[in-house]
Amino acid sequence: MNINFSFLNHTEVIMMAIVGLLLLFAGFKVKKIAFFILWFLIGFNLVVVFMPSLANVMPDIVNDVFWQNVFPLVGGLLLAMFGFTIEKVCISVAVFALTMMVTIQYFGTDVQTIIIGAVIGVVLAGSAAMLVKPAIILATALVGSYTITTLILFFATGMDPAIYYFPLLFGGAALGSVVQFTTTRGED
């Protein structure tokens, strides 16, 4: 796993950490903001993941430092504006997108892998639409944990991502989910 935040400055990394913690521990309480943040992070990360593929199509633009910084922000903002509008659709598509991001980033882009990831994503997205509150809590905790885990592994260079990634990701998501379920009892 290759984690690259070299294009971010210290302020942007701190903002990512704050956003990650907010989503991790208070995602349901601030769900409208959380949807905006969640979709921004999904759009941002998707553009970062697909940036090397864009280099084949638009090499002059993608290799320019300015566009390397602007494209992820624009992708994040576009998806954030979409996700802010419709709650059930938002959570369903967010769960599907998260499933596909994990599938592509950690299991590859083979056709069979993408199909399996898509089937799992559709099942999870359908479940999320039926169980909105738990889905919001789990999705925001997972995205918050993903952000914090990625930052930890980027800065803690002595930690092997192959060993620590999934325990940090799922441990953080479990902790965030417990905190959110506990603090939002009785809220819809």
Side-chain angles (χ1 to χ4, degrees):
M1 178 171 65
N2 186 13
I3 302 169
N4 183 11
F5 284 120
S6 60
F7 58 90
L8 297 176
N9 64 39
H10 292 291
T11 305
E12 291 168 330
V13 170
I14 290 169
M15 290 302 295
M16 280 184 67
I18 291 169
V19 166
L21 290 170
L22 179 67
L23 286 174
L24 182 60
F25 294 114
F28 187 77
K29 289 255 187 214
V30 294
K31 64 182 170 182
K32 291 289 186 188
I33 296 168
F35 281 144
F36 188 85
I37 294 169
L38 177 101
W39 278 100
F40 177 83
L41 290 174
I42 290 171
F44 185 92
N45 284 308
L46 283 175
V47 171
V48 168
V49 167
F50 287 113
M51 190 72 85
S53 299
L54 292 174
N56 296 334
V57 180
M58 304 178 286
D60 294 335
I61 294 174
V62 175
N63 292 327
D64 184 348
V65 175
F66 173 77
W67 291 111
Q68 286 178 356
N69 291 321
V70 170
F71 275 173
L73 293 173
V74 169
L77 286 173
L78 287 173
L79 278 177
M81 286 187 259
F82 166 74
F84 189 68
T85 57
I86 307 169
E87 189 171 288
K88 279 191 178 188
V89 172
C90 175
I91 195 64
S92 296
V93 176
V95 168
F96 179 80
L98 288 170
T99 305
M100 293 309 295
M101 273 178 43
V102 169
T103 300
I104 290 168
Q105 191 169 3
Y106 300 104
F107 300 106
T109 57
D110 295 338
V111 174
Q112 297 89 349
T113 304
I114 296 292
I115 291 171
I116 292 169
V119 169
I120 292 169
V122 166
V123 169
L124 292 175
S127 300
M130 291 185 289
L131 305 165
V132 174
K133 181 181 178 182
I136 291 170
I137 289 174
L138 293 174
T140 57
L142 191 58
V143 170
S145 182
Y146 172 80
T147 304
I148 298 302
T149 298
T150 303
L151 290 171
I152 288 170
L153 293 175
F154 177 72
F155 288 109
T157 55
M159 294 177 75
D160 183 7
I163 296 171
Y164 293 106
Y165 178 78
F166 287 109
L168 283 171
L169 177 70
F170 293 127
L175 176 64
S177 296
V178 168
V179 168
Q180 286 191 60
F181 277 115
T182 303
T183 60
T184 61
R185 228 171 265 207
E187 292 181 33
D188 284 332

